[in-house]
Amino acid sequence: MGRQVFFKIALLGASGAGKTTLGRELARRLGVTFVEGDALAHRANWVKASDDELCAGIKAAIAASDRWVTDATFERRLGDFVTARADLVVWLDLPLSTKLVRLWRRSWRRVRRREVLWNGNVETWRDVFVGGDSVMIGAIRRHVRDRLAWSKRLDRQTVLRLRTPAEVERWLSAF
């Protein structure tokens, strides 16, 4: 992407791709606002924010600054609301094996330590392994579906597709 300056960056990728970790670090290095999608999408007791609530939360977060990084686009729920406002979309298209290892480590830590997440939520083993919406099963299902959908939808925008952790590190090192 050369030396072009981007002030509004949307990170795209499935669970475990490293969006939040990269987003926080990128925002820190650029000195811009970081918008964490999960904090807006999950209400107390894991109640999902409505599309209107989610849209209002994102709108308020990005309106507060003309320079931001967000770790979520919510394409399936909000269409191009976020990506249309971004100067650059960074797609973390990492291998499924990388994402599953990261999810396992993260979930293991969260469940064992009973880490409090967004709006007082705490992850359980049930959240990690049981049902189609579980962390691990959902990641597997979304991996293939999202790859197909995003490769078709994002051809009209400025998209940087990073496929390995090494590519992510090289790109981040430019900042």
Side-chain angles (χ1 to χ4, degrees), residues 64-150:
S65 173
D66 61 348
R67 297 176 180 208
W68 46 263
V69 174
T70 183
D71 67 352
T73 62
F74 300 105
E75 289 266 322
R76 282 187 295 278
R77 294 181 63 191
L78 303 179
D80 70 349
F81 179 80
V82 175
T83 57
R85 288 160 175 75
D87 299 321
L88 174 66
V89 175
V90 179
W91 178 11
L92 301 179
D93 185 21
L94 276 56
L96 179 60
S97 59
T98 300
K99 292 185 278 190
L100 290 176
V101 167
R102 288 177 175 182
L103 287 170
W104 170 253
R105 287 181 186 151
R106 180 180 79 187
S107 294
W108 174 258
R109 183 193 75 239
R110 285 177 175 176
V111 172
R112 281 195 41 222
R113 295 180 183 171
R114 301 210 32 85
E115 287 182 23
V116 177
L117 304 173
W118 323 276
N119 302 307
N121 294 309
V122 177
E123 203 169 67
T124 67
W125 287 118
R126 182 175 187 79
D127 299 326
V128 176
F129 290 109
V130 178
D133 269 350
S134 70
V135 172
M136 300 301 274
I137 302 302
I140 294 167
R141 288 179 40 216
R142 285 186 297 272
H143 176 78
V144 173
R145 181 189 68 206
D146 289 350
R147 259 190 176 171
L148 292 172
W150 291 335

